[in-house]
């Protein structure tokens, strides 16, 4: 396909107001995509969209709670109308509600399931028809090294492991339409999310990052651009034979 220059393809990145999502939205814009920057409110998404436009790209800030079916439907329809048919979807929106199992409330459990799992399901279901029509699509779901189990994260690790199964099934169902689905599973990435975890355990973020880095083979924590780079590869046209994979981006081996 060669239309990239005249009509940029459209990518959707959820949870793109900050952190990994913001870096990914900016990277995909630099790769030539028009990017729908989705977050809980359009106001929150605006800053990322403005950065993309300032760098010469095309972007639309969209407010939607990915766990709400009506809002997801409206957001995807608006993106298709105002930006064009989406052929890339990065399900990145996420929240933490960490607690040891005996203290974890049902609402802590449900919130995490709803944002990560139901959110990825609703966004993917609403977007896939545009990819099927285009005969081309790239879906990337954000899993986590916590999918392998992590103290205080029964809800989050279950959701992130669930996303790996979801990804593999998407790859099987949608492959014949030219659509790939992969999961990126980051290790420790310095964002507001990990800063909040540091605060929860009563540590300065800098000390928390230094302590984490000593446990990572490359001896540093990750930055959002590390994940954006991997997603850039998985969403590229040349990655059409990579599907149903989970790629750990954690500065060392995990499987
Ligand atoms: P972050 O907290 O900095 O950003 C998450 C974004 O998602 C926020 O802008 C938030 O408003 C948005 N969001 C939350 N709920 C939403 C909803 N219902 N609808 C729409 N948007 C919503 O987090 P981050 O560190 O950038 O993480 C991004 C993704 O990567 C998440 O899925 C997270 O679980 C995953 N991840 C992060 C790390 C890490 O170390 N930071 C590691 C592994 C996986």
């Amino acid at each position: 396909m060669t239309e990239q220059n005249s009509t940029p393809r459209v990518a959707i990145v959820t949870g793109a107001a900050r952190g990994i999502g913001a870096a990914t939205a900016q990277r995909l814009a630099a790769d030539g995509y028009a990017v729908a920057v989705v977050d809980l409110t359009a106001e929150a998404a605006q800053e990322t969209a403005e950065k993309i436009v300032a760098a010469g790209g095309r972007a639309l800030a969209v407010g939607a709670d990915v766990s709400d079916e009506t809002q997801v439907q409206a957001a995807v329809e608006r993106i298709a109308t105002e930006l064009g048919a989406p052929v890339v979807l990065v399900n990145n929106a996420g929240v933490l509600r960490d607690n040891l199992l005996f203290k974890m409330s049902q609402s802590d459990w449900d919130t995490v399931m709803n944002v990560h799992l139901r959110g990825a399901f609703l966004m993917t279901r609403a977007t896939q028809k545009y990819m099927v029509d285009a005969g081309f699509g790239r879906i990337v779901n954000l899993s986590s090294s916590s999918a392998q189990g992590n103290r205080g994260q029964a809800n989050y690790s279950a959701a992130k492991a669930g996303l790996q199964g979801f990804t593999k099934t998407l790859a099987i169902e949608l492959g014949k339409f030219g659509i790939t689905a992969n999961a990126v599973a980051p290790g420790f990435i310095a964002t507001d999310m990990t800063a909040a975890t540091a605060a929860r355990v009563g540590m300065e973020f800098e000390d928390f990052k230094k302590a984490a880095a000593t446990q990572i083979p490359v001896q540093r924590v990750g930055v959002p651009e590390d994940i954006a780079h991997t997603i850039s590869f998985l969403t590229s046209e040349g990655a059409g034979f990579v599907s149903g994979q989970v790629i750990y981006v954690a500065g060392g081996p995990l499987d």
Side-chain angles (χ1 to χ4, degrees):
M1 291 187 208
T2 54
E3 77 278 41
Q4 190 100 343
N5 292 331
S6 48
T7 320
R9 285 176 167 169
V10 175
I12 300 176
V13 184
T14 68
R18 66 186 200 197
I20 293 169
T24 300
Q26 290 173 83
R27 175 60 188 261
L28 294 185
D31 289 348
Y33 287 98
V35 181
V37 179
V38 178
D39 212 289
L40 282 168
T41 65
E43 294 68 42
Q46 194 58 38
E47 190 183 327
T48 305
E50 280 168 10
K51 282 186 188 156
I52 289 172
V53 172
R58 207 167 146 230
L60 178 70
V62 179
D65 177 344
V66 296
S67 67
D68 183 297
E69 185 173 30
T70 309
Q71 291 185 38
V72 164
Q73 202 57 41
V76 173
E77 280 169 21
R78 183 176 159 220
I79 291 162
T81 306
E82 294 189 26
L83 217 50
V87 292
V88 168
L89 172 64
V90 182
N91 285 309
N92 167 81
V95 290
L96 295 179
R97 292 290 184 274
D98 293 357
N99 228 329
L100 292 175
L101 183 68
F102 77 102
K103 290 193 276 191
M104 187 174 285
S105 69
Q106 182 171 304
S107 135
D108 290 337
W109 177 268
D110 289 346
T111 300
V112 168
M113 292 302 149
N114 288 346
V115 176
H116 295 269
L117 279 177
R118 190 206 283 170
F121 157 64
L122 291 175
M123 286 298 305
T124 306
R125 193 183 60 177
T127 307
Q128 53 78 30
K129 62 175 178 287
Y130 299 101
M131 302 186 190
V132 170
D133 288 348
F136 174 87
R138 300 281 183 262
I139 299 165
V140 179
N141 298 314
L142 268 289
S143 179
S144 168
S145 53
S146 295
Q148 301 189 353
N150 197 24
R151 188 178 166 80
Q153 294 195 317
N155 49 3
Y156 185 79
S157 64
K160 291 309 200 185
L163 279 169
Q164 297 188 7
F166 179 63
T167 301
K168 289 171 198 278
T169 299
L170 294 178
I172 291 165
E173 289 190 14
L174 299 174
K176 66 180 171 196
F177 303 109
I179 301 167
T180 65
N182 292 285
V184 174
F188 188 119
I189 309 297
T191 68
D192 290 340
M193 185 177 270
T194 36
T197 302
R200 190 175 60 80
V201 300
M203 278 179 82
E204 289 295 325
F205 193 32
E206 284 310 312
D207 296 337
F208 192 59
K209 285 190 285 188
K210 271 192 201 130
T214 63
Q215 305 303 311
I216 298 170
V218 301
Q219 296 287 291
R220 69 166 176 91
V221 299
V223 291
E225 290 71 22
D226 289 316
I227 307 306
H229 192 74
T230 310
I231 294 173
S232 172
F233 163 70
L234 290 171
T235 54
S236 67
E237 207 165 315
F241 209 53
V242 182
S243 197
Q245 300 305 302
V246 179
I247 301 187
Y248 284 90
V249 183
L254 287 165
D255 56 26

